[in-house]
Amino acid sequence: MLTATLAAAAAENRAALVGYLPAGFPTVDGGIQACVALLEGGCDIVEVGLPHSDPVLDGPVIQTADDIALRGGVRIAGVLRTVREAHAATGAPVLCMTYWNPVDRYGPERFAAELAAAGGAGCILPDLPVEESEGWRKAAEQHGLATVFVVAPSSGDERLAKITRAGSGFVYAASLMGVTGTRASVGEQAAELVRRTKATTPLPVCVGLGVSTPAQAAEVAAFADGVIVGSAFVKRLLDAGDDLAAGLADVRALAGELAAGVRTRG
């Protein structure tokens, strides 16, 4: 389904829009509703984050949301429930984005089996070295899950080729060095990174980190197969405070605006 969704966007001569929200934020039920709102608003794919107490890639906005989720008691069961219900409500591909330690402690085979049973399309593992990924990749392949790796502007061409050979589904290209968050500019390095990555693989390349406006989405859509937006959605929910209905309306509206942006293609 993930591959078909990305191919369908390409057939429409546009980039796919990929949204991200952490599970359990603002609550498990609220997070499920927010994921559904993203998909109904215009996202093609959603990434459900597994909140982590020591994130290395996430900026302050997502860290704040993760803290709220963890203090609310979210566990892997809540993450899997979010995947299951978001997929069941929309039929869209839903991935889990997680650091490796929780999966390793839970058991890679068990996690892969339960993610697949929940209807998950795959897993994004930003801190799992390719050299140590064979066990996970075998479990994921057995259960029909994509394994999405992250590449960065600092990745040399040889390293890019090694990463993209091991991955499946798509390649997550970090648009710049640093952590997630909204920025005034997406970064000139992104287009060059996509070009170099595409030279190593037929997989779609989706760009994330820093995209927050329709104009930025259009800019990235001009050279990438997918545009990934996370912090901007999380910020809308944070800004809404205890008014979940307002937050859901805001993220739905932003999804629609960004969906229009990826159809502009710069």
Side-chain angles (χ1 to χ4, degrees), residues 40-82:
E40 291 181 346
C43 287
D44 300 289
I45 299 163
V46 71
E47 302 171 4
V48 173
L50 196 160
H52 197 278
S53 58
D54 187 27
V56 295
L57 185 67
D58 299 320
V61 170
I62 292 176
Q63 286 184 29
T64 298
D66 277 3
D67 184 59
I68 291 169
L70 291 168
R71 284 191 283 110
V74 72
R75 297 290 185 268
I76 286 179
V79 177
L80 294 171
R81 182 185 156 211
T82 302

Side-chain angles (χ1 to χ4, degrees), residues 115-255:
L115 179 59
C123 207
I124 303 168
L125 297 157
D127 66 338
L128 177 62
V130 168
E131 293 82 0
E132 300 172 20
S133 69
E134 184 177 0
W136 163 259
R137 286 188 285 119
K138 284 183 177 179
E141 185 176 0
Q142 180 182 348
H143 293 285
L145 298 172
T147 296
V148 178
F149 289 110
V150 178
V151 298
S154 60
S155 303
D157 291 346
E158 185 176 337
R159 182 67 181 167
L160 283 176
K162 188 171 189 176
I163 292 171
T164 58
R165 279 196 303 269
S168 57
F170 65 89
V171 182
Y172 188 128
S175 66
L176 39 74
M177 300 303 294
V179 298
T180 60
T182 60
R183 291 174 172 82
S185 173
V186 177
E188 295 180 1
Q189 297 173 325
E192 176 63 12
L193 175 59
V194 170
R195 185 195 66 76
R196 291 197 298 118
T197 303
K198 281 182 166 292
T200 71
T201 181
L203 289 174
V205 181
C206 302
V207 171
L209 273 68
V211 179
S212 61
T213 68
Q216 289 173 337
E219 176 189 354
V220 173
F223 56 79
D225 300 299
V227 178
I228 303 170
V229 180
S231 294
F233 286 123
V234 174
K235 188 173 186 301
R236 293 288 179 103
L237 286 174
L238 284 171
D239 288 348
D242 294 331
D243 192 343
L244 178 60
L248 294 175
D250 283 350
V251 297
R252 187 187 299 270
L254 179 58

Side-chain angles (χ1 to χ4, degrees), residues 1-99:
M1 178 177 294
L2 177 62
T3 298
T5 298
L6 289 163
E12 295 175 11
N13 192 34
R14 67 174 178 87
L17 178 61
V18 185
Y20 166 92
L21 285 172
F25 168 70
T27 62
V28 172
D29 287 342
I32 292 168
Q33 293 178 64
C35 287
V36 172
L38 293 193
L39 292 164
E40 291 181 346
C43 287
D44 300 289
I45 299 163
V46 71
E47 302 171 4
V48 173
L50 196 160
H52 197 278
S53 58
D54 187 27
V56 295
L57 185 67
D58 299 320
V61 170
I62 292 176
Q63 286 184 29
T64 298
D66 277 3
D67 184 59
I68 291 169
L70 291 168
R71 284 191 283 110
V74 72
R75 297 290 185 268
I76 286 179
V79 177
L80 294 171
R81 182 185 156 211
T82 302
V83 171
R84 180 182 299 107
E85 296 194 17
H87 174 64
T90 63
V94 181
L95 299 105
C96 179
M97 186 167 189
T98 177
Y99 296 103

